[in-house]
Amino acid sequence: EIKVVARRMGPMIVNQEVSVPSEERCKEEVRTLHATIERGVEDGEVITFERASEQSPGVIPGDVVVTLATAEHAVFARHGHHLSMKLTISLRQALLGFSRTIRHLDGH
């Protein structure tokens, strides 16, 4: 809590803001926040935990805001809701066709 106190400094009286310990008690607990992040979440998606920040007496706790950033993958690139990969093939494979097994992100 902040309290305004009048102090005398020589011939003048000055008002100063002083931190005063509050008589109200706040919970001081370590809290783990859990979020479910679904498949296909876009870069920059925001997850908000309402009133989960630190508490101060007489003040409503603020929100904890988490902004997601997608990491680059070694094989796949993301374009909106689609995944693509770069695959180099020979002219023969391009003209005659070919078969290749690709391991997906979910393991199948």
Side-chain angles (χ1 to χ4, degrees):
E1 256 182 85
I2 295 178
K3 182 178 177 183
V4 177
V5 178
R7 295 203 176 178
R8 185 175 193 112
M9 298 182 95
M12 300 184 302
I13 296 178
V14 179
N15 290 331
Q16 286 185 326
E17 291 184 353
V18 179
S19 290
V20 179
S22 175
E23 295 175 9
E24 298 176 32
R25 296 286 174 226
C26 292
K27 291 189 278 181
E28 290 189 27
E29 61 183 16
V30 177
R31 197 166 135 188
T32 303
L33 302 174
H34 296 277
T36 302
I37 301 172
E38 298 181 16
R39 293 181 189 175
V41 172
E42 294 189 21
D43 194 38
E45 186 81 20
V46 175
I47 299 173
T48 304
F49 298 97
E50 294 183 6
R51 296 191 175 121
S53 68
E54 293 183 335
Q55 293 183 349
S56 297
V59 178
I60 297 173
D63 298 340
V64 173
V65 178
V66 178
T67 304
L68 301 177
T70 56
E72 296 292 325
H73 192 270
V75 177
F76 295 101
R78 183 172 175 177
H79 304 285
H81 290 293
H82 303 286
L83 290 177
S84 64
M85 69 178 282
K86 195 173 229 182
L87 180 64
T88 305
I89 60 173
S90 67
L91 177 61
R92 180 182 178 145
Q93 290 172 325
L95 294 174
L96 301 176
F98 71 102
S99 176
R100 176 165 294 167
T101 303
I102 298 171
R103 185 172 175 94
H104 291 245
L105 289 174
D106 57 2
H108 74 275

